[in-house]
Amino acid sequence: MDGTTYGIGEGPATRVSLSLPEGTAEAIRERVGKREFSSFIAAAVERELRGQVLDEYLADYESRKGPVSEQARRRAREVFDEVFAEETEWPAAG
């Protein structure tokens, strides 16, 4: 290892072992085909991570400023999605 650190969605592909229920795996194959299986999983994981990062931000904000309304949460998600749809890379999470 050369010590390079990559952000979410960056870096060369690496092999990992993944276990899924057969029905889930088959549904993915039917939807995207065998060749796009890994890309589908990577995109799903990145969406989940993006959601977790936003949840962490909102929790931190609430601990400092108080409760956030459901309307404000929805708007934050919309803005977050818009910003990252335009970005070519993710900011460091954590």
Side-chain angles (χ1 to χ4, degrees):
M1 304 227 43
D2 65 5
T4 303
T5 302
Y6 299 103
I8 298 168
E10 300 175 334
T14 185
R15 284 187 152 293
V16 296
S17 175
L18 174 69
S19 297
L20 295 172
E22 183 56 40
T24 302
E26 188 57 35
I28 294 168
R29 283 187 211 99
E30 287 174 7
R31 181 166 297 270
V32 301
K34 187 176 180 180
R35 302 190 96 206
E36 296 300 319
F37 192 94
S38 291
S39 294
F40 183 89
I41 296 296
V45 169
E46 288 178 25
R47 279 192 307 274
E48 176 63 21
L49 287 169
R50 183 175 66 221
Q52 288 183 10
V53 167
L54 178 57
D55 290 344
E56 290 166 6
Y57 171 78
L58 288 171
D60 176 65
Y61 183 90
E62 284 185 318
S63 74
R64 291 179 291 113
K65 305 281 187 173
V68 176
S69 70
E70 190 55 40
Q71 180 180 3
R73 283 180 177 282
R74 280 194 302 275
R75 182 64 186 133
R77 288 195 186 284
E78 290 171 8
V79 169
F80 201 77
D81 287 343
E82 289 170 14
V83 167
F84 288 111
E86 297 170 3
E87 292 289 324
T88 58
E89 63 183 55
W90 279 63

